[in-house]
Amino acid sequence: MTKIAIISDVHGNMTALEEVLRDIHSRDIDRIFCLGDLIGKGPQGSECIELIKNNCEEVVRGNWDVFIQLPTKDPFIQWFQDKLTKQDYHYLSTLQFHHDLEMNGQFIRFIHASPRSEFERILHIDSHTKRTSMFENSEKTNSEISSRKPDIVFYGDIHTTFLHTFKEGILCNVGSVGNSLDLTSASYVILDGTHSNNAIQFVRVEYDRETELKKAKELGLAQYEKYYNELMYGIYRNSRK
Ligand SMILES: [Mn+2]
């Protein structure tokens, strides 16, 4: 099978994740990669980890997956920490920084945010230099083919889909399953290598946002209002506007 569904930024939103997995399976795709941020913001991190563990072939870690493992006095972060089991923490600690593969002669890289850090945010509106730095290697991307630069980079983190083509290669943001900020529908991407070349397809999946918010309220989600605004209107919680 040379079709791979790429999901990212699930953020504890089970309603969206289940709908996206249903959509992927209805297309007879059984290879799924996840680009991190499994938990946080949404109420069901532990349940999402379980589903991702059972459905995804490769999973890279996001910024949330990293800092959730660190001690904190912030009650907001603690709310999410308290919901995770020992096994969840163990699973998060085993996640890889990146994944590389070769398909139809192209070198394809999967990361959460940047080749240098889970915490370095590269936006679609950032400078040309910043965006093309996504094709660079770093100490963290060492592998047998690390001297080679990727032809295609898939990433998540910014919850906003885009595809930019540069001389250096193709940069594709797959958007977010559980906390989409461009459109409010869930987002994922299909990499299709079937026809001895690589095609990229964006998919949007509607899911029941009211049901998800009802669940969040019942579970007493921390900063529920911010989650509400993200899901209903795509308004980022840390927006300066
Ligand atoms: Mn995220």
Side-chain angles (χ1 to χ4, degrees), residues 9 11 36-37 41 63-64 112 121 156-159 176 179:
D9 295 83
H11 282 294
D37 274 7
K41 299 188 178 180
N63 48 315
W64 269 87
H112 179 69
R121 188 146 290 165
D157 185 51
I158 60 172
H159 303 203
S176 166
N179 201 273

Side-chain angles (χ1 to χ4, degrees), residues 12-222:
N13 182 340
M14 267 290 273
T15 318
L17 178 60
E18 284 175 332
E19 208 57 53
V20 163
L21 291 177
R22 208 170 293 138
D23 190 273
I24 292 169
H25 292 137
S26 76
R27 295 167 194 262
D28 286 327
I29 298 172
D30 56 13
R31 296 187 73 183
I32 307 174
F33 289 8
C34 177
L35 306 189
D37 274 7
L38 284 55
I39 51 95
K41 299 188 178 180
Q44 292 183 289
S46 189
E47 292 84 345
C48 286
I49 287 178
E50 196 60 27
L51 257 191
I52 289 165
K53 211 194 278 183
N54 295 332
N55 282 278
C56 298
E57 188 181 315
E58 300 289 346
V59 181
V60 304
R61 58 177 187 259
N63 48 315
W64 269 87
D65 308 319
V66 172
F67 71 66
I68 200 76
Q69 299 179 58
L70 308 172
T72 177
K73 286 193 172 124
D74 182 342
F76 171 64
I77 306 297
Q78 281 171 350
W79 191 92
F80 299 96
Q81 289 182 328
D82 291 347
K83 301 290 175 292
L84 299 182
T85 65
K86 241 189 194 148
Q87 288 88 339
D88 294 336
Y89 281 107
H90 174 73
Y91 179 71
L92 292 178
S93 75
T94 64
L95 298 181
Q96 57 196 335
F97 176 74
H98 75 301
H99 180 70
D100 289 341
L101 70 78
E102 209 167 340
M103 194 187 249
N104 294 315
Q106 286 192 301
F107 174 18
I108 304 168
R109 173 162 290 164
F110 303 86
I111 48 178
H112 179 69
S114 99
R116 294 161 293 274
S117 166
E118 302 89 343
F119 294 87
E120 184 186 8
R121 188 146 290 165
I122 307 285
L123 297 169
H124 56 299
I125 49 167
D126 274 336
S127 69
H128 185 274
T129 312
K130 225 171 171 185
R131 282 175 292 148
T132 52
S133 79
M134 292 294 275
F135 301 98
E136 299 292 330
N137 282 305
S138 79
E139 287 150 31
K140 291 198 168 172
T141 61
N142 281 338
S143 72
E144 310 92 74
I145 41 174
S146 70
S147 56
R148 199 173 150 188
K149 287 183 180 178
D151 301 297
I152 308 177
V153 173
F154 289 101
Y155 80 113
D157 185 51
I158 60 172
H159 303 203
T160 302
T161 54
F162 74 82
L163 187 142
H164 289 175
T165 307
F166 302 95
K167 289 277 184 286
E168 289 83 349
I170 291 171
L171 178 61
C172 177
N173 194 292
V174 304
S176 166
V177 167
N179 201 273
S180 181
L181 299 174
D182 46 11
L183 300 172
T184 52
S185 49
S187 165
Y188 78 96
V189 159
I190 298 168
L191 168 63
D192 182 354
T194 322
H195 302 284
S196 47
N197 52 36
N198 295 322
I200 297 169
Q201 181 181 15
F202 289 88
V203 185
R204 304 301 303 216
V205 180
E206 289 297 340
Y207 70 97
D208 193 339
R209 289 174 286 140
E210 272 85 5
T211 296
E212 173 59 21
L213 287 165
K214 205 170 148 231
K215 236 191 296 179
K217 193 151 213 183
E218 282 166 8
L219 292 167
L221 174 70

